Amino acid sequence: MTIRLESDIEEVIRKHAREQHTTPEAIIMDILRERLSLSRGPSLSHQPAKDWKTRLLRLPTHCGVSLSDEAVSSEGLYD
């Protein structure tokens, strides 16, 4: 399949590809997969650093257990 892009869209895609150190084709494929809900998960390699760092910081979840400082101190470990 061949798709002809308008020059302004092509310019934006090429700019994003340069910024993310990838190819314009990879950018377009990621956009299409995301838009068509075919993504197998977020692609960290094609996201600006700020975006993947934000997603990474959201990953930890609360497990419901907090240990006191005494419990994790060297004396507390042997009690």
Side-chain angles (χ1 to χ4, degrees):
M1 175 186 302
T2 302
I3 299 173
R4 295 180 195 270
L5 300 175
E6 295 175 4
S7 61
D8 58 333
I9 295 173
E10 185 176 353
E11 184 179 326
V12 170
I13 291 170
R14 288 188 187 280
K15 178 183 173 214
H16 283 285
R18 278 191 305 274
E19 290 172 354
Q20 296 176 19
H21 306 289
T22 190
T23 63
E25 291 81 4
I27 296 288
I28 292 169
M29 292 304 293
D30 285 349
I31 291 168
L32 289 172
R33 281 191 182 101
E34 185 178 319
R35 180 72 169 111
L36 298 172
S37 301
L38 298 174
S39 181
R40 296 182 196 121
S43 172
L44 297 180
S45 64
H46 293 110
Q47 294 178 357
K50 183 179 176 183
D51 292 347
W52 69 261
K53 285 179 184 176
T54 302
R55 286 186 188 213
L56 188 62
L57 292 172
R58 289 185 198 157
L59 288 178
T61 58
H62 179 62
C63 297
V65 177
S66 279
L67 298 175
S68 67
D69 289 339
E70 287 179 1
V72 294
S73 70
S74 57
E75 293 87 22
L77 292 174
Y78 297 105
D79 286 340

